[in-house]
Amino acid sequence: MKDIKELLDKYFEGYTDAAQEQLLRDYFRKEDVPEDLLIYKPLFVYLEEEVTAFREQEKPAAVKSRLFPLLTYISGVAAALLLILGIGSLLRQDESCLCTGSYVMIDGKCYTDPSVIRNMAVEALEQVSSPLEEEFSGETERYDGSNIVKEQLSEFGALFKED
C-alpha cells in the first residue's frame, strides 16, 4: 500500500514511466481497493478504458501498415528498372553521336569522311547560289554563279586537305 501511494505521488508529479502507470491501472482495476484510495479508482479505470480503445483503433491501422513493405518493394523494383533502362539507353546510343577527332554534324549525324562532306557542301552551296542572269544589288557587274561556288569550295576544301 505504501508503494502505491509513492507511485501515485510520482504519477501526479509526472515522474512515472509507462510500466509504472500500467501498475497503477492494474491496481485500481481490482475490487479490493482501500477506502482512502477509492477516489483515484475512476481516474485509472477511465485511463485503462482509453488505452484499450486506443489499442483497438490501432489494429486496423496495423493492417494498413502491412501494405507499406509491399509498396516499398514495388517502388524499389520500379526504381531499379528505371536505372537499368537509363543505363541501357546510354550504352545503346548511335555511334554517330560519339564522334572523335575531326567531324561535321549535319542534320544530327556525324560525318568524318572529307569526300562525303565536300559532296554535301557542294549540294548545299548549289542550292543557295544565284542564277547567272541575276544581278547582285548595287553592283553593275554580273557574276558567274558557278565561279562563286568554285571559289567557296576551294576555300572550303583547303580546310580538309590532309598534310
Side-chain angles (χ1 to χ4, degrees):
M1 171 108 142
K2 183 180 176 187
D3 292 338
I4 293 298
K5 286 185 180 181
E6 288 176 9
L7 210 52
L8 277 172
D9 289 338
K10 281 179 67 175
Y11 176 78
F12 288 118
E13 290 174 8
Y15 293 117
T16 54
D17 59 17
Q20 292 170 329
E21 291 173 11
Q22 183 62 47
L23 283 173
L24 285 171
R25 289 193 303 269
D26 291 342
Y27 179 81
F28 285 103
R29 205 172 341 137
K30 295 189 288 185
E31 295 293 326
D32 57 336
V33 176
E35 231 178 272
D36 60 331
L37 298 178
L38 273 178
I39 193 167
Y40 302 115
K41 185 171 181 161
L43 171 69
F44 288 101
V45 168
Y46 171 76
L47 289 175
E48 181 62 29
E49 289 172 358
E50 287 297 311
V51 167
T52 305
F54 180 74
R55 286 182 181 151
E56 287 179 8
Q57 285 178 350
E58 276 188 340
K59 289 179 183 174
V63 172
K64 289 180 184 176
S65 69
R66 289 182 205 149
L67 292 176
F68 184 72
L70 179 63
L71 291 175
T72 304
Y73 176 76
I74 290 172
S75 63
V77 169
L81 284 174
L82 283 174
L83 184 65
I84 290 169
L85 290 174
I87 291 172
S89 68
L90 286 175
L91 296 176
R92 200 178 45 97
Q93 285 183 346
D94 292 337
E95 291 193 20
S96 63
C97 294
L98 303 173
C99 295
T100 58
S102 297
Y103 62 93
V104 173
M105 295 292 289
I106 301 173
D107 294 329
K109 295 180 183 176
C110 181
Y111 295 95
T112 57
D113 185 16
S115 62
V116 172
I117 296 169
R118 279 190 202 106
N119 292 337
M120 293 179 89
V122 167
E123 290 175 19
L125 290 173
E126 285 176 352
Q127 290 176 3
V128 296
S129 65
S130 58
L132 294 175
E133 295 84 29
E134 185 177 316
E135 271 189 295
F136 289 97
S137 63
E139 303 218 6
T140 57
E141 183 180 79
R142 292 181 183 255
Y143 286 103
D144 184 6
S146 62
N147 288 337
I148 294 173
V149 170
K150 288 177 185 174
E151 289 174 18
Q152 290 174 346
L153 284 176
S154 65
E155 291 174 12
F156 185 73
L159 296 174
F160 289 99
K161 285 187 180 176
E162 296 182 27
D163 295 331

